[in-house]
Amino acid sequence: MESRDRELIDALHGGFPVTERPYAAVAEALGTSEEDIIERLSRLLEAGTLTRFGPLFDAAKLGGAFTLAAMSVPDDRFDAVAEIVNSFPEVAHNYRRDHDLNMWFVVAAEREGGIAGALERIGERTGLEVLDLPKEEEYFLELRLPA
Protein backbone atom coordinates (compact mmCIF):
# COMPACT_ATOMS: atom_id res chain seq x y z
CA MET A 1 0.00 0.00 0.00
CA GLU A 2 1.29 3.45 -0.86
CA SER A 3 2.28 5.70 2.02
CA ARG A 4 -0.27 8.33 0.87
CA ASP A 5 -3.01 5.67 1.05
CA ARG A 6 -1.94 4.81 4.60
CA GLU A 7 -1.95 8.48 5.53
CA LEU A 8 -5.47 8.87 4.12
CA ILE A 9 -6.82 5.83 5.98
CA ASP A 10 -5.23 6.99 9.23
CA ALA A 11 -6.70 10.49 8.78
CA LEU A 12 -10.21 9.16 8.17
CA HIS A 13 -10.14 6.65 11.02
CA GLY A 14 -11.29 9.19 13.57
CA GLY A 15 -14.10 10.75 11.58
CA PHE A 16 -15.14 12.42 8.38
CA PRO A 17 -15.69 16.18 8.15
CA VAL A 18 -19.32 17.26 8.00
CA THR A 19 -19.01 20.16 5.60
CA GLU A 20 -20.35 21.12 2.20
CA ARG A 21 -17.22 19.64 0.56
CA PRO A 22 -15.79 17.03 2.95
CA TYR A 23 -13.35 15.54 0.43
CA ALA A 24 -11.89 19.00 -0.15
CA ALA A 25 -11.46 19.45 3.62
CA VAL A 26 -9.64 16.11 3.87
CA ALA A 27 -7.51 17.03 0.86
CA GLU A 28 -6.53 20.35 2.40
CA ALA A 29 -5.51 18.67 5.66
CA LEU A 30 -3.38 16.16 3.74
CA GLY A 31 -1.90 18.63 1.25
CA THR A 32 -3.48 17.13 -1.86
CA SER A 33 -6.50 17.64 -4.10
CA GLU A 34 -10.14 16.70 -3.66
CA GLU A 35 -9.91 14.63 -6.86
CA ASP A 36 -6.93 12.72 -5.46
CA ILE A 37 -8.85 11.83 -2.28
CA ILE A 38 -11.89 10.61 -4.22
CA GLU A 39 -9.72 8.61 -6.64
CA ARG A 40 -7.71 7.00 -3.81
CA LEU A 41 -10.85 5.98 -1.90
CA SER A 42 -12.40 4.55 -5.07
CA ARG A 43 -9.24 2.57 -5.83
CA LEU A 44 -8.95 1.26 -2.26
CA LEU A 45 -12.58 0.10 -2.35
CA GLU A 46 -12.21 -1.53 -5.78
CA ALA A 47 -9.07 -3.36 -4.67
CA GLY A 48 -10.78 -4.60 -1.51
CA THR A 49 -8.28 -2.84 0.75
CA LEU A 50 -11.29 -1.01 2.17
CA THR A 51 -14.46 -3.09 2.31
CA ARG A 52 -16.77 -0.24 3.22
CA PHE A 53 -16.71 3.55 3.32
CA GLY A 54 -19.77 5.34 4.59
CA PRO A 55 -21.76 6.40 7.63
CA LEU A 56 -22.91 4.13 10.43
CA PHE A 57 -26.41 4.86 11.64
CA ASP A 58 -27.96 3.81 14.93
CA ALA A 59 -31.16 2.23 13.60
CA ALA A 60 -32.82 2.22 17.02
CA LYS A 61 -32.29 5.96 17.51
CA LEU A 62 -33.86 6.53 14.10
CA GLY A 63 -36.99 4.58 15.09
CA GLY A 64 -35.90 1.33 13.47
CA ALA A 65 -34.27 -1.83 14.72
CA PHE A 66 -31.57 -4.35 13.90
CA THR A 67 -30.58 -7.80 15.00
CA LEU A 68 -27.96 -10.44 14.42
CA ALA A 69 -29.34 -13.64 12.92
CA ALA A 70 -27.82 -17.08 12.39
CA MET A 71 -28.70 -20.24 10.51
CA SER A 72 -27.42 -23.79 10.10
CA VAL A 73 -27.08 -24.19 6.34
CA PRO A 74 -26.11 -27.48 4.66
CA ASP A 75 -22.76 -27.01 2.89
CA ASP A 76 -24.19 -28.06 -0.47
CA ARG A 77 -26.84 -25.30 -0.21
CA PHE A 78 -24.71 -22.56 1.32
CA ASP A 79 -24.22 -20.43 -1.81
CA ALA A 80 -27.86 -20.72 -2.87
CA VAL A 81 -29.11 -19.83 0.61
CA ALA A 82 -26.66 -16.92 0.83
CA GLU A 83 -28.05 -15.58 -2.45
CA ILE A 84 -31.60 -15.78 -1.07
CA VAL A 85 -30.67 -14.15 2.24
CA ASN A 86 -28.70 -11.39 0.51
CA SER A 87 -31.66 -10.62 -1.77
CA PHE A 88 -33.60 -9.20 1.18
CA PRO A 89 -33.21 -5.43 1.46
CA GLU A 90 -33.20 -5.74 5.25
CA VAL A 91 -29.98 -7.80 5.21
CA ALA A 92 -26.96 -5.56 5.76
CA HIS A 93 -24.21 -8.16 5.43
CA ASN A 94 -23.77 -11.90 5.62
CA TYR A 95 -20.79 -14.07 6.46
CA ARG A 96 -19.83 -17.71 6.84
CA ARG A 97 -18.56 -19.12 10.13
CA ASP A 98 -16.90 -22.40 11.00
CA HIS A 99 -19.64 -23.47 13.40
CA ASP A 100 -22.91 -25.43 13.41
CA LEU A 101 -24.55 -22.04 12.92
CA ASN A 102 -22.49 -21.37 9.81
CA MET A 103 -24.34 -18.38 8.32
CA TRP A 104 -24.56 -15.12 10.25
CA PHE A 105 -26.14 -11.89 9.03
CA VAL A 106 -27.39 -8.53 10.27
CA VAL A 107 -31.01 -7.55 9.65
CA ALA A 108 -32.13 -3.93 9.89
CA ALA A 109 -35.64 -2.57 9.56
CA GLU A 110 -37.19 0.89 9.47
CA ARG A 111 -39.53 -0.09 12.31
CA GLU A 112 -38.96 -2.39 15.24
CA GLY A 113 -41.70 -4.80 14.11
CA GLY A 114 -40.02 -5.24 10.72
CA ILE A 115 -37.34 -7.57 12.08
CA ALA A 116 -39.71 -10.44 12.90
CA GLY A 117 -41.35 -10.22 9.49
CA ALA A 118 -38.03 -10.23 7.65
CA LEU A 119 -36.73 -13.21 9.63
CA GLU A 120 -39.97 -15.10 9.01
CA ARG A 121 -39.79 -14.45 5.24
CA ILE A 122 -36.14 -15.55 5.14
CA GLY A 123 -37.09 -18.77 6.92
CA GLU A 124 -39.96 -19.40 4.52
CA ARG A 125 -37.83 -18.75 1.41
CA THR A 126 -34.91 -20.89 2.57
CA GLY A 127 -36.86 -23.59 4.38
CA LEU A 128 -34.44 -23.22 7.29
CA GLU A 129 -34.82 -22.05 10.88
CA VAL A 130 -33.52 -18.54 11.50
CA LEU A 131 -32.17 -17.80 14.97
CA ASP A 132 -32.73 -14.21 16.17
CA LEU A 133 -29.88 -12.90 18.37
CA PRO A 134 -30.94 -9.40 19.44
CA LYS A 135 -28.55 -7.08 21.24
CA GLU A 136 -28.98 -7.24 25.00
CA GLU A 137 -26.40 -4.65 25.95
CA GLU A 138 -24.35 -2.17 23.96
CA TYR A 139 -20.64 -1.56 24.35
CA PHE A 140 -18.47 0.98 22.60
CA LEU A 141 -15.07 -0.31 21.60
CA GLU A 142 -12.95 1.89 19.39
CA LEU A 143 -10.08 0.04 17.83
CA ARG A 144 -7.67 2.07 15.75
CA LEU A 145 -4.92 0.30 13.90
CA PRO A 146 -2.42 2.32 11.91
CA ALA A 147 -2.74 1.57 8.20
Side-chain angles (χ1 to χ4, degrees):
M1 179 186 315
E2 293 180 28
S3 63
R4 296 291 289 174
D5 292 341
R6 289 179 194 279
E7 184 180 9
L8 173 60
I9 292 170
D10 287 343
L12 295 177
H13 225 193
F16 194 69
V18 181
T19 65
E20 185 176 333
R21 298 192 51 201
Y23 297 102
V26 171
E28 184 177 344
L30 296 178
T32 187
S33 70
E34 181 178 26
E35 294 78 19
D36 178 55
I37 297 298
I38 293 169
E39 184 275 318
R40 283 182 186 280
L41 287 171
S42 295
R43 186 172 31 79
L44 290 166
L45 285 163
E46 287 173 20
T49 303
L50 296 179
T51 57
R52 182 184 182 286
F53 181 76
L56 294 174
F57 297 103
D58 185 334
K61 287 183 180 176
L62 295 171
F66 63 93
T67 194
L68 179 63
M71 299 169 62
S72 290
V73 181
D75 284 336
D76 63 336
R77 292 190 57 210
F78 194 90
D79 290 340
V81 171
E83 192 172 321
I84 292 168
V85 170
N86 292 340
S87 74
F88 282 82
E90 297 92 347
V91 174
H93 61 274
N94 173 342
Y95 52 97
R96 185 178 204 140
R97 294 192 66 178
D98 185 22
H99 187 273
D100 288 340
L101 294 169
N102 58 349
M103 182 179 290
W104 292 67
F105 51 98
V106 173
V107 176
E110 290 181 14
R111 299 200 174 26
E112 193 168 331
I115 296 292
L119 296 177
E120 184 178 329
R121 289 190 312 277
I122 291 169
E124 288 170 359
R125 290 264 322 271
T126 62
L128 299 169
E129 181 181 357
V130 181
L131 181 62
D132 184 6
L133 304 165
K135 173 178 67 175
E136 293 181 356
E137 192 168 338
E138 185 164 340
Y139 299 91
F140 176 75
L141 301 173
E142 184 172 10
L143 174 65
R144 292 188 184 195
L145 302 172

